Amino acid sequence: MAEAVTGAGTRRRPGPLLAPGGGRRALFPAIAGLSLVASLLIVGAVAAGRGAEDWRGRLAGSATVVVRAAGLESPDAAAARAAEALGAVNGVARSWPLEAAAADPAIARLVDGKPGAGTGVRLVAVQFKAGSWPGPAALSRVLAADGLNVGVDDHRPWTSPVLRAAALAALTAALLLAAIVVGVGVAAAWATGKRLAAQRQLVDLLRLSGAADGFVGRLFVTRAAATAAWAGAAGALAAALIMATWRLSGESAIAGLLPSPAWADLAADAPWPLAAALVGATGAWLAVRAALKRAP
């Protein structure tokens, strides 16, 4: 057994039984790369879920009113009158013409380019109080009583497609993450097998000296778990840096339809290094167990 000298040479501690070599050098970059992808998937799925929930809340609590000017009244005046009438409805938090709603991306995207919006037509956005929804019929009656020609667009039917898309994205991310977990286990098993083959003489010597297979196996499993943990941490840190850069840039993918990750989302991949270590240890244990069973 190798020994290391510390201090003035009076204190000695055992060196590692396993010498460097085998597949260890290939294991770190392989798991680090897989961990980078896994961490991006985790943070992306969390950000997408948060964005979908935000859209659901905003869509379910809002409506759009298409106001058509009649007679000599200007479209802007009709929209202002409709917004004032809607503001007095029980359950309405606020209402405003579309031009004033431009700061709300979710509502603006829904009503932008709506069919029928043209000459003599204006759009009014309505925001409801939490837990309140007067319903399109009630809003139409109030506006009709003021002599306004309107159409009320209920945003709630949009929530189902949004939630379905979010669920599909989460399922896809989960399947890809499962494939990555399997890949980490396979990489650890392959690297451990290569390492065990490179250390065959040491393994035989330990077994001839009376070492149990469990002791021998722990040498390889511990090393694989440590390598996987460090590689997982490296991949997770790289993913956090990428997402933080995206967050600071303020840019979102696909023409601004996907939300940038929030700072809290970056913590979602914090458990990944531990998960990588557990998966790596499992793969290494299976490889060692199979190899020792085949050994004489």
Side-chain angles (χ1 to χ4, degrees):
M1 181 180 295
E3 292 186 345
V5 180
T6 61
T10 59
R11 298 174 59 190
R12 298 174 181 271
R13 59 180 175 82
L17 279 175
L18 299 181
R24 184 186 179 190
R25 293 181 180 178
L27 181 61
F28 187 94
I31 293 184
L34 290 172
S35 297
L36 171 62
V37 178
S39 298
L40 290 175
L41 281 172
I42 293 170
V43 177
V46 171
R50 176 182 49 78
E53 183 61 26
D54 180 60
W55 267 75
R56 186 203 65 78
R58 291 157 71 184
L59 292 178
S62 63
T64 303
V65 177
V66 181
V67 183
R68 298 172 179 84
L72 299 178
E73 187 176 27
S74 69
D76 291 334
R81 195 156 59 89
E84 183 179 359
L86 289 167
V89 175
N90 185 30
V92 173
R94 62 191 183 108
S95 59
W96 64 103
L98 175 61
E99 289 76 13
D104 190 331
I107 295 177
R109 290 193 191 99
L110 284 175
V111 298
D112 186 33
K114 180 174 287 295
T119 304
V121 174
R122 292 294 183 270
L123 301 173
V124 175
V126 184
Q127 190 71 39
F128 302 110
K129 297 177 181 178
S132 297
W133 171 242
L139 298 181
S140 298
R141 284 195 301 269
V142 170
L143 295 171
D146 277 1
L148 291 164
N149 181 12
V150 301
V152 179
D153 181 15
D154 182 1
H155 293 168
R156 289 186 299 176
W158 288 79
T159 60
S160 293
V162 169
L163 294 179
R164 282 198 299 269
L168 180 60
L171 177 61
T172 302
L175 293 176
L176 292 175
L177 186 60
I180 290 174
V181 168
V182 172
V184 170
V186 170
W190 173 84
T192 301
K194 296 283 290 184
R195 189 173 182 79
L196 195 147
Q199 305 285 330
R200 173 55 62 184
Q201 290 184 347
L202 174 61
V203 172
D204 293 341
L205 178 61
L206 290 173
R207 298 180 78 189
L208 288 174
S209 301
D213 287 351
F215 173 81
V216 176
R218 280 193 297 273
L219 294 176
F220 293 91
V221 170
T222 303
R223 187 64 61 85
T227 302
W230 283 108
L237 178 59
L241 292 175
I242 292 173
M243 287 297 190
T245 302
W246 183 14
R247 178 75 174 84
L248 291 173
S249 70
E251 296 293 334
S252 296
I254 313 181
L257 294 179
L258 293 180
S260 295
W263 292 117
D265 297 339
L266 302 183
D269 61 0
W272 174 255
L274 176 59
L278 293 175
V279 174
T282 302
W285 177 76
L286 292 174
V288 172
R289 183 182 178 186
L292 293 179
K293 280 187 175 180
R294 292 193 301 267

